[in-house]
Amino acid sequence: MFFLDLAQVRRKGPIPLTGEPPQAKRYCVSAIVSTYKSELFIEGRLKDLLAQTLGEQLEIIVVDSGSPENESAIVRRYQKQHSNIQYIRTEQRENLYQAWNRGIRAASGKYLTNSNTDDRLRPDALEVLARELDQNPSIALVYADFLITGFENQDFGSHICTGYSLRPEYHPNIMLAGCHMGPQPMWRRSVHDEIGYFDESFFAAGDYEFWCRLAIRHHMKHVPEFLGLYLHNGAGVSNSDLQRSWAEAQRVQDMYRPHFPAPAADLPTGFYFRDAVRPGG
């Protein structure tokens, strides 16, 4: 069995008859899509999100960080048919967390999720996660298990599965053992008003740092279902420079060591690949 540790490695309505300006639509979920040199993936990402059972309750915010490729034309083509897609482009290249923060500030959803261009979701994934937050007002973030593929532009319903990842149940003793929230969590927009935004000094572990900051004040919840499909992409942010990713994870753990207990000894090790039988498979 092989494993890879994660620590390493607004639609406007009709014009009011009163003459007052129209109010921006309030969405249930805003999905932040950061893109840079992702022309290969962006159309599949948009199709995947538009197929979500949340339907018009989902806002899609694409943040194009000065990409030299043709994502812009693809996104604008979809915008003509789907008013819930918002497109933001910066002329200068921004890192992942700068792009996420820019998207979050533009978002109108009560819940947020990051949507990596090369990953995909079970069609009801965002509905399932949003329901968990609706039903558990004391929970700030939810995360689920996910399947893994090594093949580009697969979809959840008909992909070649090369592995899987089981996430641990939430307890403060998991926080110093790596970024167990995984690549496709959902969290409350309101937490940013309380604890700020993602730390833009990070290259790959800014989400891990933010989840730790969040966990000091709030609880999280694991949803024990396979809701996502993760592309094991060697050119991805975390995998493209494993040494830097590992060093940043260590920096986060050193920062938050005083706030959390020592890691539990029996936590899942990360990703499990195809020489093991997938649970339920």
Side-chain angles (χ1 to χ4, degrees):
M1 179 181 294
F2 299 101
F3 64 86
L4 182 65
D5 195 305
L6 279 174
Q8 290 192 19
V9 232
R10 254 170 229 162
R11 166 182 178 181
K12 293 187 176 180
I15 298 175
L17 296 178
T18 61
E20 296 177 357
Q23 297 298 307
K25 177 171 179 175
R26 175 73 167 174
Y27 291 91
C28 177
V29 176
S30 295
I32 313 301
V33 182
S34 169
T35 184
Y36 180 80
K37 290 187 176 181
S38 295
E39 182 180 353
L40 175 65
F41 300 110
I42 191 67
E43 184 163 18
R45 174 79 277 184
L46 293 175
K47 287 181 176 179
D48 182 68
L49 289 170
L50 290 167
Q52 284 290 300
T53 56
L54 274 180
E56 292 188 355
Q57 296 182 74
L58 174 64
E59 176 182 43
I60 303 168
I61 301 179
V62 180
V63 183
D64 179 342
S65 295
S67 176
E69 296 185 349
N70 204 32
E71 293 99 321
S72 173
I74 296 170
V75 177
R76 293 193 185 282
R77 173 160 51 86
Y78 275 84
Q79 277 187 301
K80 292 178 181 179
Q81 299 179 13
H82 302 280
S83 58
N84 60 331
I85 300 176
Q86 184 178 164
Y87 176 71
I88 301 168
R89 177 178 169 87
T90 63
E91 291 308 312
Q92 299 299 319
R93 173 79 187 274
E94 294 185 328
N95 70 30
L96 180 65
Y97 303 110
Q98 289 173 311
W100 283 10
N101 285 341
R102 188 177 294 277
I104 290 165
R105 290 186 176 99
S108 64
K110 63 178 178 178
Y111 306 137
L112 302 172
T113 186
N114 60 288
S115 292
N116 304 324
T117 55
D118 53 1
D119 292 347
R120 303 293 181 257
L121 295 168
R122 201 173 83 182
D124 62 342
L126 299 184
E127 182 178 2
V128 169
L129 294 174
R131 185 187 306 125
E132 290 289 340
L133 289 172
D134 284 342
Q135 295 176 351
N136 296 277
S138 65
I139 299 297
L141 179 147
V142 289
Y143 58 98
D145 304 326
F146 54 92
L147 302 174
I148 302 169
T149 185
F151 298 87
E152 298 172 346
N153 279 317
Q154 303 277 294
D155 61 65
F156 191 93
S158 58
H159 67 275
I160 301 171
C161 181
T162 56
Y164 62 93
S165 184
L166 299 176
R167 307 283 85 190
E169 296 303 310
Y170 177 72
H171 187 278
N173 67 9
I174 74 172
M175 296 308 298
L176 296 180
C179 188
H180 286 293
M181 283 64 253
Q184 299 148 344
M186 183 181 290
W187 64 99
R188 298 183 187 276
R189 169 63 179 82
S190 57
V191 301
H192 292 286
D193 300 324
E194 178 187 357
I195 64 172
Y197 292 77
F198 290 95
D199 186 334
E200 298 175 359
S201 70
F202 284 94
F203 170 78
D207 48 342
Y208 183 24
E209 187 278 329
F210 188 80
W211 310 149
C212 287
R213 202 183 335 148
L214 182 60
I216 292 175
R217 298 190 182 194
H218 296 284
H219 292 294
M220 305 181 187
K221 184 179 180 181
H222 170 233
V223 179
E225 297 184 50
F226 291 112
L227 295 183
L229 178 64
Y230 171 80
L231 175 65
H232 192 240
N233 185 354
V237 171
S238 296
N239 295 333
S240 62
D241 191 333
L242 294 178
Q243 185 174 3
R244 175 160 57 173
S245 297
W246 181 86
E248 286 195 355
Q250 290 296 306
R251 173 184 161 196
V252 171
Q253 290 164 4
D254 290 342
M255 289 169 61
Y256 289 97
R257 207 172 304 280
H259 299 282
F260 299 110
D266 57 349
L267 295 176
T269 53
F271 296 173
Y272 300 88
F273 289 97
R274 181 44 92 186
D275 57 336
V277 177
R278 196 192 91 203

